[in-house]
Amino acid sequence: MNKDYKIVIPSFLRHKILEKKTLTTLKNNNIDKNKIYIFVANENERNIYFNYLDGNLYGQIIIGVEGIRNQREFIKNYFEEGEYIVSCDDDIEQFYQLDFVDDKKKLKEINNIHNQIIANFKLCVNNNKYLWGVQAHNNAFWMKNEAVCGLYFCVGVFYGYINRHDVDLKLSEEIEVKEDYENVILHCIKDKGVFRRNDLAFKTVYNAPGGCGSDRFERNRIAQEYLTNKYPQYCYATFRKNKNIKTGEPEIRLKVFRKKKN
């Protein structure tokens, strides 16, 4: 695979976090800054990011739109069909790979994420798939040294795709969050599966201040209801324990199916 890839980072009101975390992490992985495109919501945001960020850490700042769902659609349309795109959140602190020491699982920090990105796109190309992801947690106990194909969650924090301007892959306008679940479902409907590397992970802080805003419960509830009603054969409702919410945090789970890797 000789094709290059682009790294896109949607970010909103978090220029300091972006520089401290994701941009520094990518630099530590020797990622060429010219691969890195930062997408912000408006001209004012662009000025703030441009005046604060170290220009040696990124290639371009692009004015997109507000809202993560809308921004993801904007990014797809910004790039040409067939481009290899890697999407990163703005607060990734480290990448990990599963390792074994004395037959015991552990995570090792890696600074060669470029090699893993290339390997993931090769998996897609060789198996006629268009989306890949990694584990959503960094707990070695639950990780495996494998790449699986099927209906598997590819968390929006770090994933890659071969770009298509396809109406069948357009994210619903009715929800603002959990768009990463719908993205997987739409790819599975169209391509009969996605790839997930169960031996790769990252360090981040979920539900950190900023970014998606503070009204997460209601947004999650709306997304849960919408997705489970629209795609009942692919997902179902569940609730994550939260001591501050009696009913728990609204979540969804995918009805996992697995295809044998070629």
Side-chain angles (χ1 to χ4, degrees):
M1 190 196 79
N2 297 319
K3 194 159 188 173
D4 204 357
Y5 60 87
K6 294 176 170 64
I7 292 181
V8 303
I9 308 173
S11 185
F12 184 64
L13 299 176
R14 304 215 297 182
H15 49 284
K16 294 181 180 179
I17 289 174
L18 170 60
E19 179 170 290
K20 180 181 179 181
K21 296 188 177 181
T22 296
L23 289 182
T24 298
T25 300
L26 294 175
K27 179 183 179 182
N28 292 340
N29 277 264
N30 298 311
I31 297 295
D32 180 356
K33 74 165 191 172
N34 293 312
K35 295 180 185 291
I36 301 173
Y37 295 72
I38 301 166
F39 286 81
V40 297
N42 50 54
E43 181 70 33
N44 182 58
E45 283 286 291
R46 185 194 181 280
N47 291 336
I48 292 172
Y49 278 65
F50 179 80
N51 291 326
Y52 181 86
L53 297 177
D54 181 349
N56 294 313
L57 295 177
Y58 68 92
Q60 297 184 42
I61 301 176
I62 309 297
I63 299 174
V65 292
E66 188 170 340
I68 188 59
R69 176 265 170 206
N70 298 332
Q71 193 73 290
R72 295 205 191 282
E73 286 297 317
F74 180 91
I75 291 170
K76 285 194 294 186
N77 291 323
Y78 181 85
F79 293 105
E80 294 182 1
E81 286 209 354
E83 294 268 22
Y84 292 0
I85 308 296
V86 180
S87 183
C88 295
D89 274 8
D90 56 18
D91 55 358
I92 296 175
E93 299 180 49
Q94 180 64 52
F95 293 109
Y96 301 106
Q97 188 165 17
L98 184 64
D99 194 14
F100 293 86
V101 177
D102 297 328
D103 294 327
K104 293 183 179 179
K105 292 181 179 180
K106 64 171 292 185
L107 291 182
K108 64 177 180 181
E109 295 184 356
I110 59 173
N111 293 302
N112 64 341
I113 198 62
H114 167 81
N115 294 340
Q116 303 301 333
I117 289 171
I118 294 298
N120 293 342
F121 278 118
K122 282 184 177 179
L123 272 176
C124 287
V125 171
N126 292 340
N127 292 274
N128 199 30
K129 297 294 180 282
Y130 288 80
L131 176 69
W132 60 259
V134 301
Q135 281 285 3
H137 59 79
N138 53 32
N139 186 333
F141 181 82
W142 297 107
M143 295 172 67
K144 295 181 179 181
N145 188 22
E146 64 179 6
V148 292
C149 183
L151 179 63
Y152 288 95
F153 181 46
C154 297
V155 65
V157 178
F158 179 68
Y159 69 99
Y161 58 97
I162 301 172
N163 198 36
R164 289 178 287 182
H165 301 162
D166 195 319
V167 67
D168 294 337
L169 298 173
K170 187 174 181 179
L171 299 170
S172 299
E173 297 180 1
E174 287 81 356
I175 58 176
E176 298 180 71
V177 296
K178 300 197 181 302
E179 80 294 335
D180 44 5
Y181 283 93
E182 185 174 34
N183 193 36
V184 167
I185 291 171
L186 293 176
H187 276 81
C188 282
I189 292 172
K190 188 169 187 64
D191 305 322
K192 310 302 181 187
V194 302
F195 268 105
R196 190 178 73 191
R197 289 282 300 278
N198 285 337
D199 61 331
L200 289 180
F202 51 79
K203 180 180 180 181
T204 191
V205 178
Y206 285 105
N207 299 322
C212 289
S214 57
D215 56 339
R216 298 179 190 274
F217 179 87
E218 185 60 15
R219 291 183 178 189
N220 285 334
R221 185 196 65 77
I222 292 172
Q224 180 197 63
E225 181 178 348
Y226 178 83
L227 292 173
T228 53
N229 285 335
K230 185 172 183 179
Y231 308 105
Q233 68 273 47
Y234 293 98
C235 64
Y236 60 94
T238 185
F239 295 87
R240 176 167 48 86
K241 289 183 179 179
N242 186 327
K243 63 182 179 180
N244 298 317
I245 304 173
K246 288 184 179 180
T247 59
E249 192 73 31
E251 295 288 354
I252 68 170
R253 291 288 182 271
L254 298 179
K255 297 180 178 180
V256 171
F257 70 79
R258 179 169 184 162
K259 292 176 72 67
K260 193 172 183 179
K261 185 172 76 69
N262 294 332

